[in-house]
Amino acid sequence: MPHVEPGMAVGLFGGSFNPPHEGHVLVADTALRRLRLDQLWWIVTPGNPLKDNSNLADLATRIRWCQEIAADPRVKFTAFEAAHGLRYTAETLQFVTERNRGVDFAWVMGADNLAGFHRWQDWQYIANTMPIAVVDRPGSTLSYLSSIMAKTFDYARVDEAQAGALARMRPPAWTFIHGPRSPLSSTAIRNSQQLPVGKS
């Protein structure tokens, strides 16, 4: 895991990044700015348990792609899940928080993931373990409030104007952050074969 110090506010942004694209960078930039983060970890996962991983590029390649596309020095790239056999986000959050006492973490995800969030392993544990920032993505702006997660944790929703304090809040706490959106998706890029420059 990247080095952190007690008192830092750190965002966790997990995904397959197969491949990463400007939409990911936009979510990262928005989270860093609006959540007032000291760091944002791009956690490059071994594979999404809810997705077909047959077209998944190898881990080293995906990390290199991420490093080539995201230039902000506050962004840190890590694949510790693979090294420690972690498959599910709930396991990852427990692992991270137990080993980084005194650090304030927030889970960061694109709004396109919110509709299916209730299908994640131990999803309510996730919401009760770490504050969550949901960053706007195309097609998700109006539908997010109808998601099971949003309805279940409606009482814990934080006004977007308070997003800068989210990482310091006691969970459950979540907010929806509006902002610039990119129409890009990893699936569309794979289907068009427009993989990042430098692919071996």
Side-chain angles (χ1 to χ4, degrees), residues 3-16:
H3 175 73
V4 290
E5 298 287 346
M8 281 186 169
V10 178
L12 305 181
F13 184 32
S16 300

Side-chain angles (χ1 to χ4, degrees), residues 4-190:
V4 290
E5 298 287 346
M8 281 186 169
V10 178
L12 305 181
F13 184 32
S16 300
F17 301 109
N18 187 45
H21 51 71
E22 290 300 329
H24 293 130
V25 175
L26 195 55
V27 168
D29 288 347
T30 300
L32 281 163
R33 185 178 72 256
R34 298 289 299 279
L35 301 179
R36 299 177 186 168
L37 300 175
D38 298 300
Q39 289 184 12
L40 179 71
W41 297 2
W42 281 34
I43 303 174
V44 185
T45 67
N48 188 329
L50 296 178
K51 292 183 179 180
D52 176 11
N53 295 309
S54 59
N55 293 321
L56 193 65
D58 67 84
L59 197 55
T61 297
R62 288 182 284 128
I63 291 173
R64 189 182 76 244
W65 287 345
C66 291
Q67 291 170 334
E68 291 170 351
I69 197 172
D72 194 309
R74 294 172 294 175
V75 174
K76 311 296 180 181
F77 308 98
T78 179
F80 66 84
E81 287 178 321
H84 294 277
L86 304 172
R87 288 194 65 213
Y88 299 105
T89 299
E91 297 174 330
T92 297
L93 301 196
Q94 182 178 14
F95 184 88
V96 168
T97 53
E98 286 179 351
R99 286 160 177 77
N100 295 280
R101 302 292 185 184
V103 177
D104 295 312
F105 288 100
W107 181 255
V108 176
M109 65 181 186
D112 48 327
N113 288 311
L114 194 59
F117 186 76
H118 63 283
R119 293 195 295 269
W120 293 23
Q121 183 88 359
D122 298 324
W123 67 278
Q124 294 197 39
Y125 170 84
I126 296 171
N128 282 295
T129 298
M130 193 172 289
I132 299 173
V134 182
V135 181
D136 203 1
R137 289 279 288 148
S140 305
T141 306
L142 298 178
S143 62
Y144 76 94
L145 285 177
S146 64
S147 71
I148 291 176
M149 185 275 190
K151 289 180 177 179
T152 302
F153 288 96
D154 177 67
Y155 69 95
R157 186 181 175 199
V158 176
D159 188 276
E160 185 176 355
Q162 302 300 315
L166 185 73
R168 314 290 186 187
M169 295 181 183
R170 183 174 179 176
W174 69 280
T175 193
F176 189 96
I177 300 176
H178 296 82
R181 296 173 297 169
S182 168
L184 293 173
S185 76
S186 295
T187 301
I189 292 172
R190 286 197 306 274

